[in-house]
Amino acid sequence: MPAETLHIPTPDGRADAFAAFPDHGERSPGVLLYPDAIGLRPVLEEMARELAGHGYAVLVPNVYYRHGPAPVIDLPPHIGEDIRPAVFDRLTPLYEAHTTERALRDADACLRFFTGRPEVGSGPVGVIGYCMGAVLAMRTAAAHPDRVAAVAGFHPGALVTDAPDSPHRLAPRVRAEVHLGLAENDMTPEVRSEFHRALDASGVRYTTEVYPGTVHGFTMADTDAFDAAGLRRHWDRLLPLLARTLTD
């Protein structure tokens, strides 16, 4: 698949991003893919290429661009449990600095830039997120209800909190169809019920599913959390969602 590094002008500078496109040379539905807390790296680029092979133009932004180009910190090819704490010690200040205000500015810049590309069709877009990226996906869908028709979050971060701007409180603004693919330890039944109530009250079309035998991070092939069956189930849920929602 054709792929390249793009540089997106934002109110805070220039964000680098990885983009992958189908090889047919025609305009394709756009998908914004938010990484997990570890950030943009080869495993996310491979997932973008996979999606491009199914006919989508895919943009994976470096959400930590304010701290440097991706990868912002040195990462080994495999992030095992033995080094995970040290990796997250370095990443924690980066994702804590990625405030809601910054996320919304970046989402606006990414959507405006990417949908203006000649490779991207004029129809609605999908937004996918992994771990903390699921939070960014919900915020993006709520901020751009007329553009975002599909949201998918896998092993999501904190979608239900006590904060006034908790992602579940944004449901009244969401017009997209939503799918959450949960690891077994991602949400308690009580938290899951609260998320469902918020979406039900707003009339949001959604599905949530606990993927059997998985732990948080199960889609990421460069970590010990990876689960091949969970990744296959993720594609089995994601591709039909995009196919039925991203039409001109």
Side-chain angles (χ1 to χ4, degrees):
M1 298 297 108
E4 61 182 301
T5 296
L6 302 178
H7 293 90
I8 303 166
T10 80
D12 299 327
R14 283 205 321 162
D16 54 306
F18 178 83
F21 305 102
D23 58 11
H24 53 54
E26 300 174 359
R27 290 164 69 93
S28 305
V31 174
L32 177 59
L33 192 160
Y34 284 119
D36 60 3
I38 302 172
L40 174 55
R41 60 197 192 280
V43 69
L44 275 301
E45 295 175 1
E46 287 305 311
M47 294 174 87
R49 287 190 177 96
E50 176 78 15
L51 265 179
H54 291 278
Y56 300 98
V58 187
L59 183 74
V60 190
N62 170 22
V63 298
Y64 301 141
Y65 71 91
R66 294 172 181 85
H67 306 275
V72 177
I73 68 170
D74 292 332
L75 292 172
H78 185 84
I79 303 163
E81 288 304 312
D82 55 333
I83 62 168
R84 185 180 176 88
V87 168
F88 273 82
D89 280 347
R90 298 183 65 192
L91 289 171
T92 297
L94 305 187
Y95 65 73
E96 287 181 346
H98 196 60
T99 61
T100 298
E101 292 76 15
R102 286 183 169 186
L104 292 175
R105 290 200 299 270
D106 290 352
D108 182 67
C110 286
L111 285 176
R112 185 171 57 251
F113 175 87
F114 197 52
T115 57
R117 294 275 303 190
E119 302 93 340
V120 181
S122 60
V125 301
V127 187
I128 307 167
Y130 301 87
C131 181
M132 78 167 191
V135 173
L136 301 179
M138 281 291 291
R139 294 200 187 285
T140 301
H144 300 272
D146 295 333
R147 294 306 316 268
V148 179
V151 170
F154 299 96
H155 41 89
L159 291 174
V160 178
T161 73
D162 293 331
D165 66 346
S166 172
H168 79 292
R169 302 187 199 278
L170 305 176
R173 303 185 216 161
V174 173
R175 297 293 176 265
E177 183 177 343
V178 176
H179 173 74
L180 291 187
L182 305 169
E184 290 188 345
N185 60 341
D186 276 333
M187 281 186 178
T188 66
E190 294 76 18
V191 169
R192 191 176 172 196
S193 293
E194 186 169 353
F195 186 76
H196 289 174
R197 284 194 297 272
L199 270 61
D200 286 336
S202 301
V204 176
R205 293 171 298 156
Y206 72 92
T207 56
T208 63
E209 182 178 358
V210 176
Y211 290 15
T214 59
V215 298
H216 186 74
F218 62 82
T219 63
M220 296 295 130
D222 62 351
T223 73
D224 286 353
F226 178 64
D227 183 273
L231 179 63
R232 287 194 299 272
R233 187 182 294 261
H234 143 282
W235 290 119
D236 289 345
R237 301 300 184 266
L238 175 59
L239 293 174
L241 170 66
L242 298 178
R244 67 176 171 264
T245 56
L246 301 192
T247 55
D248 290 330

